[in-house]
Amino acid sequence: MEYQAIRDIKPKHTGQGKVFTNPVLEKLTKSHAAIPISMLVGFAAGFIYWGTQVSALSAFQYVWLVLSGLFVWSFFEYMMHKHLYHMLPTNQIKGWIQYNMHGVHHEYPKDKTRLAMPPVMMVIISFSFVYIFRFLIGDYTFGFTPGFLLGYASYLCVHYIVHAYQPPKNIFKALWINHAVHHYKDPDAAFGVSSPLWDYVFGTIPKKSQ
């Protein structure tokens, strides 16, 4: 199978893509966004509670660590979207990863079952972050990781809203427009879903003419 760069994928307004031929594995790739969002919020609350039992972090430290986690998430989201999800399929392995992680979503942007990472992957990813952050920053992870996971949850919320509903007349409208441009006009722009901050920093904000 030959894989296309995402910029060359033509979005379809109906239907669903297929990742696995095995029906059980295929089922595991789908989920309503509310499930992983709820999981992330629950994990974040659980890690904070865990931290209050095993660490000496103060309330002030929790506040700035959570805010730091949210900020780092926004950068991670941008870089992951731009450089991993949109990597060029220069070989079969990269093509498979790119299409199954993100290309299928660009091909079928109206498929509500693939607007968020499925629960099994969400558990693996969340606890991977915990172990990585615990190794890097020790007990600070009990505040930083919840902020990071809440950033992830906010990304999933915004992503679901902009795909499932008409543009609202509030702060989400600009995010909806940016993401619509990303899908239907210029997939090499507007990589920030929950925030346009890093698009401004790196010059990938959509042009006003779009």
Side-chain angles (χ1 to χ4, degrees), residues 74-75 77-79 81-82 174-175 178-179 182 186-207:
S74 70
F75 178 74
E77 172 197 319
Y78 176 90
M79 299 301 288
H81 191 179
K82 182 180 180 182
L175 296 176
N178 279 356
H179 202 58
H182 176 75
D186 187 0
D188 293 323
F191 293 104
V193 177
S194 61
S195 168
L197 171 63
W198 300 104
D199 285 301
Y200 282 107
V201 172
F202 294 110
T204 52
I205 200 72
K207 296 180 176 61

PDB file of all heavy atoms in Angstrom, residues 74-75 77-79 81-82 174-175 178-179 182 186-207:
ATOM      1  N   SER A  74       0.694  22.575  25.657  1.00  0.00           N
ATOM      2  CA  SER A  74       0.381  23.326  24.440  1.00  0.00           C
ATOM      3  C   SER A  74       1.533  23.245  23.437  1.00  0.00           C
ATOM      4  O   SER A  74       1.302  23.133  22.225  1.00  0.00           O
ATOM      5  CB  SER A  74       0.059  24.788  24.771  1.00  0.00           C
ATOM      6  OG  SER A  74       1.216  25.492  25.202  1.00  0.00           O
ATOM      7  N   PHE A  75       2.776  23.276  23.942  1.00  0.00           N
ATOM      8  CA  PHE A  75       3.941  23.147  23.064  1.00  0.00           C
ATOM      9  C   PHE A  75       4.053  21.719  22.532  1.00  0.00           C
ATOM     10  O   PHE A  75       4.290  21.498  21.336  1.00  0.00           O
ATOM     11  CB  PHE A  75       5.214  23.522  23.821  1.00  0.00           C
ATOM     12  CG  PHE A  75       6.470  23.381  23.002  1.00  0.00           C
ATOM     13  CD1 PHE A  75       6.772  24.294  22.004  1.00  0.00           C
ATOM     14  CD2 PHE A  75       7.353  22.337  23.232  1.00  0.00           C
ATOM     15  CE1 PHE A  75       7.926  24.158  21.239  1.00  0.00           C
ATOM     16  CE2 PHE A  75       8.510  22.201  22.483  1.00  0.00           C
ATOM     17  CZ  PHE A  75       8.789  23.118  21.479  1.00  0.00           C
ATOM     18  N   GLU A  77       1.649  19.531  22.160  1.00  0.00           N
ATOM     19  CA  GLU A  77       0.557  19.317  21.211  1.00  0.00           C
ATOM     20  C   GLU A  77       0.933  19.831  19.825  1.00  0.00           C
ATOM     21  O   GLU A  77       0.743  19.143  18.821  1.00  0.00           O
ATOM     22  CB  GLU A  77      -0.700  20.040  21.706  1.00  0.00           C
ATOM     23  CG  GLU A  77      -1.854  20.065  20.718  1.00  0.00           C
ATOM     24  CD  GLU A  77      -2.891  21.110  21.083  1.00  0.00           C
ATOM     25  OE1 GLU A  77      -3.207  21.251  22.288  1.00  0.00           O
ATOM     26  OE2 GLU A  77      -3.393  21.797  20.174  1.00  0.00           O
ATOM     27  N   TYR A  78       1.479  21.041  19.787  1.00  0.00           N
ATOM     28  CA  TYR A  78       1.862  21.646  18.506  1.00  0.00           C
ATOM     29  C   TYR A  78       2.940  20.822  17.807  1.00  0.00           C
ATOM     30  O   TYR A  78       2.830  20.497  16.622  1.00  0.00           O
ATOM     31  CB  TYR A  78       2.352  23.073  18.731  1.00  0.00           C
ATOM     32  CG  TYR A  78       2.851  23.745  17.472  1.00  0.00           C
ATOM     33  CD1 TYR A  78       1.990  24.477  16.669  1.00  0.00           C
ATOM     34  CD2 TYR A  78       4.187  23.656  17.081  1.00  0.00           C
ATOM     35  CE1 TYR A  78       2.430  25.094  15.506  1.00  0.00           C
ATOM     36  CE2 TYR A  78       4.640  24.255  15.912  1.00  0.00           C
ATOM     37  CZ  TYR A  78       3.762  24.974  15.134  1.00  0.00           C
ATOM     38  OH  TYR A  78       4.215  25.572  13.986  1.00  0.00           O
ATOM     39  N   MET A  79       3.990  20.486  18.548  1.00  0.00           N
ATOM     40  CA  MET A  79       5.113  19.768  17.948  1.00  0.00           C
ATOM     41  C   MET A  79       4.708  18.363  17.508  1.00  0.00           C
ATOM     42  O   MET A  79       5.125  17.887  16.445  1.00  0.00           O
ATOM     43  CB  MET A  79       6.284  19.708  18.925  1.00  0.00           C
ATOM     44  CG  MET A  79       6.827  21.069  19.338  1.00  0.00           C
ATOM     45  SD  MET A  79       7.406  22.067  17.936  1.00  0.00           S
ATOM     46  CE  MET A  79       8.905  21.176  17.501  1.00  0.00           C
ATOM     47  N   HIS A  81       1.672  17.347  16.662  1.00  0.00           N
ATOM     48  CA  HIS A  81       0.781  17.462  15.514  1.00  0.00           C
ATOM     49  C   HIS A  81       1.561  17.775  14.240  1.00  0.00           C
ATOM     50  O   HIS A  81       1.348  17.162  13.196  1.00  0.00           O
ATOM     51  CB  HIS A  81      -0.256  18.554  15.784  1.00  0.00           C
ATOM     52  CG  HIS A  81      -1.385  18.590  14.808  1.00  0.00           C
ATOM     53  ND1 HIS A  81      -2.410  19.488  14.912  1.00  0.00           N
ATOM     54  CD2 HIS A  81      -1.661  17.843  13.700  1.00  0.00           C
ATOM     55  CE1 HIS A  81      -3.268  19.296  13.910  1.00  0.00           C
ATOM     56  NE2 HIS A  81      -2.830  18.300  13.168  1.00  0.00           N
ATOM     57  N   LYS A  82       2.490  18.706  14.348  1.00  0.00           N
ATOM     58  CA  LYS A  82       3.223  19.144  13.159  1.00  0.00           C
ATOM     59  C   LYS A  82       4.248  18.112  12.695  1.00  0.00           C
ATOM     60  O   LYS A  82       4.335  17.811  11.493  1.00  0.00           O
ATOM     61  CB  LYS A  82       3.917  20.472  13.439  1.00  0.00           C
ATOM     62  CG  LYS A  82       4.672  21.034  12.230  1.00  0.00           C
ATOM     63  CD  LYS A  82       5.344  22.362  12.559  1.00  0.00           C
ATOM     64  CE  LYS A  82       6.085  22.901  11.337  1.00  0.00           C
ATOM     65  NZ  LYS A  82       6.791  24.176  11.640  1.00  0.00           N
ATOM     66  N   ALA A 174     -12.822  31.140  16.862  1.00  0.00           N
ATOM     67  CA  ALA A 174     -11.516  31.278  16.205  1.00  0.00           C
ATOM     68  C   ALA A 174     -10.815  29.930  16.107  1.00  0.00           C
ATOM     69  O   ALA A 174     -10.191  29.618  15.088  1.00  0.00           O
ATOM     70  CB  ALA A 174     -10.647  32.276  16.972  1.00  0.00           C
ATOM     71  N   LEU A 175     -10.929  29.105  17.158  1.00  0.00           N
ATOM     72  CA  LEU A 175     -10.316  27.783  17.129  1.00  0.00           C
ATOM     73  C   LEU A 175     -11.007  26.906  16.080  1.00  0.00           C
ATOM     74  O   LEU A 175     -10.349  26.144  15.373  1.00  0.00           O
ATOM     75  CB  LEU A 175     -10.411  27.126  18.510  1.00  0.00           C
ATOM     76  CG  LEU A 175      -9.657  27.820  19.647  1.00  0.00           C
ATOM     77  CD1 LEU A 175      -9.935  27.114  20.967  1.00  0.00           C
ATOM     78  CD2 LEU A 175      -8.163  27.860  19.375  1.00  0.00           C
ATOM     79  N   ASN A 178      -9.786  28.064  12.621  1.00  0.00           N
ATOM     80  CA  ASN A 178      -8.409  27.619  12.388  1.00  0.00           C
ATOM     81  C   ASN A 178      -8.358  26.135  12.042  1.00  0.00           C
ATOM     82  O   ASN A 178      -7.642  25.721  11.122  1.00  0.00           O
ATOM     83  CB  ASN A 178      -7.553  27.879  13.631  1.00  0.00           C
ATOM     84  CG  ASN A 178      -7.085  29.307  13.721  1.00  0.00           C
ATOM     85  OD1 ASN A 178      -7.326  30.123  12.831  1.00  0.00           O
ATOM     86  ND2 ASN A 178      -6.417  29.644  14.810  1.00  0.00           N
ATOM     87  N   HIS A 179      -9.112  25.334  12.775  1.00  0.00           N
ATOM     88  CA  HIS A 179      -9.045  23.891  12.537  1.00  0.00           C
ATOM     89  C   HIS A 179      -9.739  23.523  11.225  1.00  0.00           C
ATOM     90  O   HIS A 179      -9.322  22.571  10.559  1.00  0.00           O
ATOM     91  CB  HIS A 179      -9.664  23.126  13.711  1.00  0.00           C
ATOM     92  CG  HIS A 179      -9.194  21.710  13.806  1.00  0.00           C
ATOM     93  ND1 HIS A 179      -7.864  21.364  13.932  1.00  0.00           N
ATOM     94  CD2 HIS A 179      -9.872  20.530  13.758  1.00  0.00           C
ATOM     95  CE1 HIS A 179      -7.746  20.054  13.978  1.00  0.00           C
ATOM     96  NE2 HIS A 179      -8.944  19.517  13.867  1.00  0.00           N
ATOM     97  N   HIS A 182      -7.238  24.115   8.642  1.00  0.00           N
ATOM     98  CA  HIS A 182      -6.247  23.036   8.682  1.00  0.00           C
ATOM     99  C   HIS A 182      -6.732  21.807   7.912  1.00  0.00           C
ATOM    100  O   HIS A 182      -5.965  21.165   7.201  1.00  0.00           O
ATOM    101  CB  HIS A 182      -5.945  22.665  10.129  1.00  0.00           C
ATOM    102  CG  HIS A 182      -5.017  21.500  10.285  1.00  0.00           C
ATOM    103  ND1 HIS A 182      -3.667  21.602  10.064  1.00  0.00           N
ATOM    104  CD2 HIS A 182      -5.247  20.199  10.611  1.00  0.00           C
ATOM    105  CE1 HIS A 182      -3.093  20.421  10.258  1.00  0.00           C
ATOM    106  NE2 HIS A 182      -4.037  19.550  10.594  1.00  0.00           N
ATOM    107  N   ASP A 186      -5.637  24.286   4.211  1.00  0.00           N
ATOM    108  CA  ASP A 186      -4.177  24.292   4.325  1.00  0.00           C
ATOM    109  C   ASP A 186      -3.734  23.411   5.493  1.00  0.00           C
ATOM    110  O   ASP A 186      -3.606  23.890   6.620  1.00  0.00           O
ATOM    111  CB  ASP A 186      -3.663  25.721   4.522  1.00  0.00           C
ATOM    112  CG  ASP A 186      -2.144  25.801   4.478  1.00  0.00           C
ATOM    113  OD1 ASP A 186      -1.498  24.744   4.303  1.00  0.00           O
ATOM    114  OD2 ASP A 186      -1.598  26.912   4.615  1.00  0.00           O
ATOM    115  N   PRO A 187      -3.489  22.110   5.256  1.00  0.00           N
ATOM    116  CA  PRO A 187      -3.061  21.213   6.336  1.00  0.00           C
ATOM    117  C   PRO A 187      -1.655  21.503   6.855  1.00  0.00           C
ATOM    118  O   PRO A 187      -1.227  20.876   7.831  1.00  0.00           O
ATOM    119  CB  PRO A 187      -3.139  19.823   5.692  1.00  0.00           C
ATOM    120  CG  PRO A 187      -3.039  20.073   4.242  1.00  0.00           C
ATOM    121  CD  PRO A 187      -3.682  21.391   3.985  1.00  0.00           C
ATOM    122  N   ASP A 188      -0.936  22.433   6.230  1.00  0.00           N
ATOM    123  CA  ASP A 188       0.383  22.822   6.718  1.00  0.00           C
ATOM    124  C   ASP A 188       0.312  24.077   7.575  1.00  0.00           C
ATOM    125  O   ASP A 188       1.335  24.733   7.835  1.00  0.00           O
ATOM    126  CB  ASP A 188       1.337  23.050   5.539  1.00  0.00           C
ATOM    127  CG  ASP A 188       1.637  21.750   4.787  1.00  0.00           C
ATOM    128  OD1 ASP A 188       1.751  20.713   5.457  1.00  0.00           O
ATOM    129  OD2 ASP A 188       1.743  21.789   3.560  1.00  0.00           O
ATOM    130  N   ALA A 189      -0.881  24.428   8.029  1.00  0.00           N
ATOM    131  CA  ALA A 189      -1.075  25.573   8.924  1.00  0.00           C
ATOM    132  C   ALA A 189      -1.990  25.159  10.067  1.00  0.00           C
ATOM    133  O   ALA A 189      -2.648  24.122  10.012  1.00  0.00           O
ATOM    134  CB  ALA A 189      -1.675  26.758   8.167  1.00  0.00           C
ATOM    135  N   ALA A 190      -2.014  25.982  11.127  1.00  0.00           N
ATOM    136  CA  ALA A 190      -2.930  25.780  12.264  1.00  0.00           C
ATOM    137  C   ALA A 190      -2.764  24.417  12.912  1.00  0.00           C
ATOM    138  O   ALA A 190      -3.705  23.631  12.998  1.00  0.00           O
ATOM    139  CB  ALA A 190      -4.372  26.004  11.821  1.00  0.00           C
ATOM    140  N   PHE A 191      -1.568  24.141  13.406  1.00  0.00           N
ATOM    141  CA  PHE A 191      -1.324  22.868  14.090  1.00  0.00           C
ATOM    142  C   PHE A 191      -1.783  22.892  15.538  1.00  0.00           C
ATOM    143  O   PHE A 191      -1.993  21.847  16.148  1.00  0.00           O
ATOM    144  CB  PHE A 191       0.164  22.517  14.018  1.00  0.00           C
ATOM    145  CG  PHE A 191       0.648  22.215  12.626  1.00  0.00           C
ATOM    146  CD1 PHE A 191       1.398  23.142  11.919  1.00  0.00           C
ATOM    147  CD2 PHE A 191       0.337  21.020  12.011  1.00  0.00           C
ATOM    148  CE1 PHE A 191       1.844  22.867  10.635  1.00  0.00           C
ATOM    149  CE2 PHE A 191       0.770  20.733  10.727  1.00  0.00           C
ATOM    150  CZ  PHE A 191       1.516  21.665  10.033  1.00  0.00           C
ATOM    151  N   GLY A 192      -1.916  24.069  16.110  1.00  0.00           N
ATOM    152  CA  GLY A 192      -2.420  24.177  17.474  1.00  0.00           C
ATOM    153  C   GLY A 192      -3.926  24.042  17.492  1.00  0.00           C
ATOM    154  O   GLY A 192      -4.624  24.819  16.830  1.00  0.00           O
ATOM    155  N   VAL A 193      -4.447  23.075  18.223  1.00  0.00           N
ATOM    156  CA  VAL A 193      -5.893  22.853  18.281  1.00  0.00           C
ATOM    157  C   VAL A 193      -6.489  23.543  19.494  1.00  0.00           C
ATOM    158  O   VAL A 193      -7.457  24.289  19.382  1.00  0.00           O
ATOM    159  CB  VAL A 193      -6.219  21.345  18.310  1.00  0.00           C
ATOM    160  CG1 VAL A 193      -7.731  21.119  18.458  1.00  0.00           C
ATOM    161  CG2 VAL A 193      -5.712  20.671  17.045  1.00  0.00           C
ATOM    162  N   SER A 194      -5.918  23.330  20.659  1.00  0.00           N
ATOM    163  CA  SER A 194      -6.458  23.935  21.873  1.00  0.00           C
ATOM    164  C   SER A 194      -5.982  25.365  22.074  1.00  0.00           C
ATOM    165  O   SER A 194      -6.566  26.111  22.857  1.00  0.00           O
ATOM    166  CB  SER A 194      -6.088  23.100  23.105  1.00  0.00           C
ATOM    167  OG  SER A 194      -4.682  23.027  23.263  1.00  0.00           O
ATOM    168  N   SER A 195      -4.930  25.759  21.356  1.00  0.00           N
ATOM    169  CA  SER A 195      -4.408  27.126  21.468  1.00  0.00           C
ATOM    170  C   SER A 195      -3.626  27.467  20.202  1.00  0.00           C
ATOM    171  O   SER A 195      -2.876  26.628  19.695  1.00  0.00           O
ATOM    172  CB  SER A 195      -3.481  27.255  22.682  1.00  0.00           C
ATOM    173  OG  SER A 195      -2.754  28.477  22.634  1.00  0.00           O
ATOM    174  N   PRO A 196      -3.773  28.709  19.692  1.00  0.00           N
ATOM    175  CA  PRO A 196      -3.010  29.116  18.510  1.00  0.00           C
ATOM    176  C   PRO A 196      -1.628  29.699  18.862  1.00  0.00           C
ATOM    177  O   PRO A 196      -0.924  30.166  17.977  1.00  0.00           O
ATOM    178  CB  PRO A 196      -3.901  30.199  17.889  1.00  0.00           C
ATOM    179  CG  PRO A 196      -4.550  30.840  19.070  1.00  0.00           C
ATOM    180  CD  PRO A 196      -4.771  29.728  20.076  1.00  0.00           C
ATOM    181  N   LEU A 197      -1.250  29.659  20.145  1.00  0.00           N
ATOM    182  CA  LEU A 197      -0.023  30.311  20.607  1.00  0.00           C
ATOM    183  C   LEU A 197       1.188  29.949  19.766  1.00  0.00           C
ATOM    184  O   LEU A 197       1.897  30.820  19.252  1.00  0.00           O
ATOM    185  CB  LEU A 197       0.238  29.948  22.076  1.00  0.00           C
ATOM    186  CG  LEU A 197       1.606  30.370  22.647  1.00  0.00           C
ATOM    187  CD1 LEU A 197       1.743  31.890  22.632  1.00  0.00           C
ATOM    188  CD2 LEU A 197       1.792  29.816  24.055  1.00  0.00           C
ATOM    189  N   TRP A 198       1.452  28.658  19.616  1.00  0.00           N
ATOM    190  CA  TRP A 198       2.689  28.242  18.947  1.00  0.00           C
ATOM    191  C   TRP A 198       2.608  28.402  17.431  1.00  0.00           C
ATOM    192  O   TRP A 198       3.636  28.487  16.765  1.00  0.00           O
ATOM    193  CB  TRP A 198       3.037  26.807  19.351  1.00  0.00           C
ATOM    194  CG  TRP A 198       3.246  26.702  20.820  1.00  0.00           C
ATOM    195  CD1 TRP A 198       2.393  26.171  21.752  1.00  0.00           C
ATOM    196  CD2 TRP A 198       4.355  27.225  21.568  1.00  0.00           C
ATOM    197  NE1 TRP A 198       2.901  26.314  23.012  1.00  0.00           N
ATOM    198  CE2 TRP A 198       4.107  26.947  22.929  1.00  0.00           C
ATOM    199  CE3 TRP A 198       5.536  27.884  21.213  1.00  0.00           C
ATOM    200  CZ2 TRP A 198       4.995  27.314  23.933  1.00  0.00           C
ATOM    201  CZ3 TRP A 198       6.426  28.242  22.211  1.00  0.00           C
ATOM    202  CH2 TRP A 198       6.151  27.967  23.552  1.00  0.00           C
ATOM    203  N   ASP A 199       1.403  28.482  16.892  1.00  0.00           N
ATOM    204  CA  ASP A 199       1.276  28.835  15.473  1.00  0.00           C
ATOM    205  C   ASP A 199       1.760  30.262  15.238  1.00  0.00           C
ATOM    206  O   ASP A 199       2.396  30.549  14.217  1.00  0.00           O
ATOM    207  CB  ASP A 199      -0.178  28.690  15.015  1.00  0.00           C
ATOM    208  CG  ASP A 199      -0.587  27.242  14.821  1.00  0.00           C
ATOM    209  OD1 ASP A 199       0.060  26.561  14.006  1.00  0.00           O
ATOM    210  OD2 ASP A 199      -1.537  26.798  15.483  1.00  0.00           O
ATOM    211  N   TYR A 200       1.459  31.154  16.182  1.00  0.00           N
ATOM    212  CA  TYR A 200       1.975  32.524  16.085  1.00  0.00           C
ATOM    213  C   TYR A 200       3.488  32.534  16.235  1.00  0.00           C
ATOM    214  O   TYR A 200       4.203  33.211  15.494  1.00  0.00           O
ATOM    215  CB  TYR A 200       1.335  33.414  17.154  1.00  0.00           C
ATOM    216  CG  TYR A 200      -0.068  33.870  16.829  1.00  0.00           C
ATOM    217  CD1 TYR A 200      -1.163  33.337  17.496  1.00  0.00           C
ATOM    218  CD2 TYR A 200      -0.296  34.842  15.848  1.00  0.00           C
ATOM    219  CE1 TYR A 200      -2.457  33.747  17.196  1.00  0.00           C
ATOM    220  CE2 TYR A 200      -1.585  35.261  15.550  1.00  0.00           C
ATOM    221  CZ  TYR A 200      -2.658  34.720  16.224  1.00  0.00           C
ATOM    222  OH  TYR A 200      -3.935  35.126  15.916  1.00  0.00           O
ATOM    223  N   VAL A 201       3.986  31.767  17.204  1.00  0.00           N
ATOM    224  CA  VAL A 201       5.431  31.744  17.469  1.00  0.00           C
ATOM    225  C   VAL A 201       6.206  31.225  16.263  1.00  0.00           C
ATOM    226  O   VAL A 201       7.234  31.793  15.871  1.00  0.00           O
ATOM    227  CB  VAL A 201       5.736  30.888  18.722  1.00  0.00           C
ATOM    228  CG1 VAL A 201       7.253  30.694  18.876  1.00  0.00           C
ATOM    229  CG2 VAL A 201       5.154  31.533  19.975  1.00  0.00           C
ATOM    230  N   PHE A 202       5.720  30.153  15.643  1.00  0.00           N
ATOM    231  CA  PHE A 202       6.451  29.506  14.557  1.00  0.00           C
ATOM    232  C   PHE A 202       5.943  29.872  13.161  1.00  0.00           C
ATOM    233  O   PHE A 202       6.382  29.296  12.164  1.00  0.00           O
ATOM    234  CB  PHE A 202       6.417  27.986  14.738  1.00  0.00           C
ATOM    235  CG  PHE A 202       7.167  27.515  15.958  1.00  0.00           C
ATOM    236  CD1 PHE A 202       6.492  27.008  17.058  1.00  0.00           C
ATOM    237  CD2 PHE A 202       8.552  27.601  16.009  1.00  0.00           C
ATOM    238  CE1 PHE A 202       7.176  26.572  18.193  1.00  0.00           C
ATOM    239  CE2 PHE A 202       9.255  27.170  17.139  1.00  0.00           C
ATOM    240  CZ  PHE A 202       8.573  26.665  18.224  1.00  0.00           C
ATOM    241  N   GLY A 203       5.027  30.822  13.089  1.00  0.00           N
ATOM    242  CA  GLY A 203       4.596  31.321  11.789  1.00  0.00           C
ATOM    243  C   GLY A 203       3.696  30.407  11.002  1.00  0.00           C
ATOM    244  O   GLY A 203       3.707  30.455   9.768  1.00  0.00           O
ATOM    245  N   THR A 204       2.902  29.575  11.673  1.00  0.00           N
ATOM    246  CA  THR A 204       1.999  28.669  10.949  1.00  0.00           C
ATOM    247  C   THR A 204       0.540  29.034  11.162  1.00  0.00           C
ATOM    248  O   THR A 204      -0.356  28.212  10.946  1.00  0.00           O
ATOM    249  CB  THR A 204       2.245  27.201  11.368  1.00  0.00           C
ATOM    250  OG1 THR A 204       2.194  27.102  12.811  1.00  0.00           O
ATOM    251  CG2 THR A 204       3.583  26.701  10.878  1.00  0.00           C
ATOM    252  N   ILE A 205       0.285  30.258  11.614  1.00  0.00           N
ATOM    253  CA  ILE A 205      -1.091  30.701  11.762  1.00  0.00           C
ATOM    254  C   ILE A 205      -1.699  30.878  10.367  1.00  0.00           C
ATOM    255  O   ILE A 205      -1.013  31.312   9.439  1.00  0.00           O
ATOM    256  CB  ILE A 205      -1.165  32.034  12.557  1.00  0.00           C
ATOM    257  CG1 ILE A 205      -2.561  32.259  13.147  1.00  0.00           C
ATOM    258  CG2 ILE A 205      -0.707  33.215  11.747  1.00  0.00           C
ATOM    259  CD1 ILE A 205      -2.914  31.360  14.306  1.00  0.00           C
ATOM    260  N   PRO A 206      -2.948  30.486  10.149  1.00  0.00           N
ATOM    261  CA  PRO A 206      -3.552  30.632   8.814  1.00  0.00           C
ATOM    262  C   PRO A 206      -3.574  32.077   8.353  1.00  0.00           C
ATOM    263  O   PRO A 206      -3.758  33.001   9.158  1.00  0.00           O
ATOM    264  CB  PRO A 206      -4.975  30.095   9.006  1.00  0.00           C
ATOM    265  CG  PRO A 206      -4.902  29.207  10.197  1.00  0.00           C
ATOM    266  CD  PRO A 206      -3.863  29.818  11.091  1.00  0.00           C
ATOM    267  N   LYS A 207      -3.365  32.284   7.064  1.00  0.00           N
ATOM    268  CA  LYS A 207      -3.429  33.626   6.502  1.00  0.00           C
ATOM    269  C   LYS A 207      -4.869  34.125   6.504  1.00  0.00           C
ATOM    270  O   LYS A 207      -5.805  33.346   6.362  1.00  0.00           O
ATOM    271  CB  LYS A 207      -2.891  33.615   5.069  1.00  0.00           C
ATOM    272  CG  LYS A 207      -1.416  33.254   4.976  1.00  0.00           C
ATOM    273  CD  LYS A 207      -0.943  33.249   3.521  1.00  0.00           C
ATOM    274  CE  LYS A 207       0.544  32.979   3.437  1.00  0.00           C
ATOM    275  NZ  LYS A 207       0.931  31.674   3.985  1.00  0.00           N
TER     276      LYS A 207
END
